[in-house]
Amino acid sequence: NAGVMQNPRHLVRRRGQEARLRCSPMKGHSHVYWYRQLPEEGLKFMVYLQKENIIDESGMPKERFSAEFPKEGPSILRIQQVVRGDSAAYFCASSLRTSGGSFTDTQYFGPGTRLTVL
Amino acid sequence: QKEVEQNSGPLSVPEGAIASLNCTYSDRGSQSFFWYRQYSGKSPELIMSIYSNGDKEDGRFTAQLNKASQYVSLLIRDSQPSDSATYLCAVNAGNNRKLIWGLGTSLAVNP
């Protein structure tokens, strides 16, 4: 079984450009989560999506960042007009579903996308 | 503010010893508890999940949950240098809430 897939693994952008990060969840998983991790820091939750719905975007900056998880295709995290402070590792995780106290809410992580803004 | 707290470490143990990692959480409604391991430059990898009070063993790893005291711990027996990593505790309060993450404990196993 294929795990969570993310691409690209490494992405270099110049200030002001757009970055698009893709995440394909594990087969059968309908819940996707995006996290950001700065060097030597903890995981920071950004957004939680189900197919065609944003469930919780409380961790996402209000400007320049957006996420989607269409009915068909991967989830996309989009960063417009990138700045140097956006340089980080962006991880995607997926779960079967979320129901407290069950194995179905276990999150499995992809390998991450390392974004470098020059 | 719901929180998950871990000692940042570094926790240093000799090879073959037992490493004990602890995590406390603030939300009494929490129902799911997870330990992940993260090597430098890599993504978090699930080690154990635990949902009920008591111990859960998987190989050299034992997770312990005490909901009354609001803590969850991870014991690593016969620690190996390859266990050197950051260990992340995560808690799900249920009702479609996202995981709340601790900042992680850095473990160093010395040969």
Side-chain angles (χ1 to χ4, degrees):
Chain A
N1 286 333
V4 178
M5 299 173 66
Q6 290 187 250
N7 66 80
R9 296 289 301 275
H10 300 274
L11 182 61
V12 179
R13 286 287 179 265
R14 296 189 180 279
R15 280 179 298 169
Q17 291 184 320
E18 178 179 288
R20 282 191 180 225
L21 288 63
R22 295 175 185 78
C23 169
S24 296
M26 286 180 70
K27 186 177 181 180
H29 284 195
S30 57
H31 296 245
V32 165
Y33 313 80
W34 284 95
Y35 295 89
R36 178 165 64 177
Q37 189 172 40
L38 294 169
E40 307 303 322
E41 293 190 9
L43 278 173
K44 299 294 186 186
F45 167 80
M46 299 183 73
V47 62
Y48 161 33
L49 311 103
Q50 294 180 29
K51 288 281 188 181
E52 300 184 282
N53 282 307
I54 297 175
I55 306 302
D56 183 342
E57 56 181 348
S58 58
M60 195 116 86
K62 293 289 186 283
E63 298 179 353
R64 301 188 299 109
F65 286 74
S66 62
E68 62 176 4
F69 188 15
K71 186 176 181 180
E72 300 291 338
S75 176
I76 306 286
L77 178 67
R78 183 183 178 202
I79 311 172
Q80 295 178 290
Q81 300 173 355
V82 296
V83 300
R84 288 211 174 111
D86 296 332
S87 295
Y90 291 83
F91 294 106
C92 168
S94 73
S95 68
L96 187 60
R97 60 178 181 266
T98 300
S99 56
S102 166
F103 73 96
T104 59
D105 57 4
T106 302
Q107 293 184 21
Y108 297 90
F109 281 78
T113 295
R114 270 75 180 170
L115 173 65
T116 302
V117 180
L118 303 178
Chain B
Q1 179 75 9
K2 298 178 176 63
E3 293 181 345
V4 173
E5 296 190 355
Q6 298 181 252
N7 188 324
S8 62
L11 174 65
S12 183
V13 300
E15 184 175 354
I18 296 176
S20 178
L21 305 162
N22 298 311
C23 170
T24 59
Y25 59 94
S26 62
D27 187 349
R28 283 195 172 276
S30 300
Q31 300 183 32
S32 307
F33 307 85
F34 305 89
W35 283 100
Y36 286 80
R37 176 175 62 197
Q38 187 175 26
Y39 292 111
S40 181
K42 302 294 185 182
S43 61
E45 170 192 14
L46 179 70
I47 298 177
M48 303 256 319
S49 59
I50 186 167
Y51 305 101
S52 304
N53 277 328
D55 295 0
K56 179 181 178 182
E57 186 174 319
D58 183 0
R60 296 186 295 112
F61 300 96
T62 299
Q64 300 175 318
L65 175 61
N66 184 322
K67 290 186 178 180
S69 300
Q70 295 178 240
Y71 82 77
V72 56
S73 62
L74 180 70
L75 300 178
I76 307 175
R77 289 181 300 281
D78 188 23
S79 295
Q80 301 297 309
S82 59
D83 294 326
S84 299
T86 296
Y87 289 80
L88 302 169
C89 173
V91 175
N92 186 334
N95 298 322
N96 287 335
R97 296 176 193 174
K98 58 185 181 286
L99 285 181
I100 308 299
W101 292 83
L103 294 180
T105 297
S106 175
L107 172 66
V109 180
N110 305 309

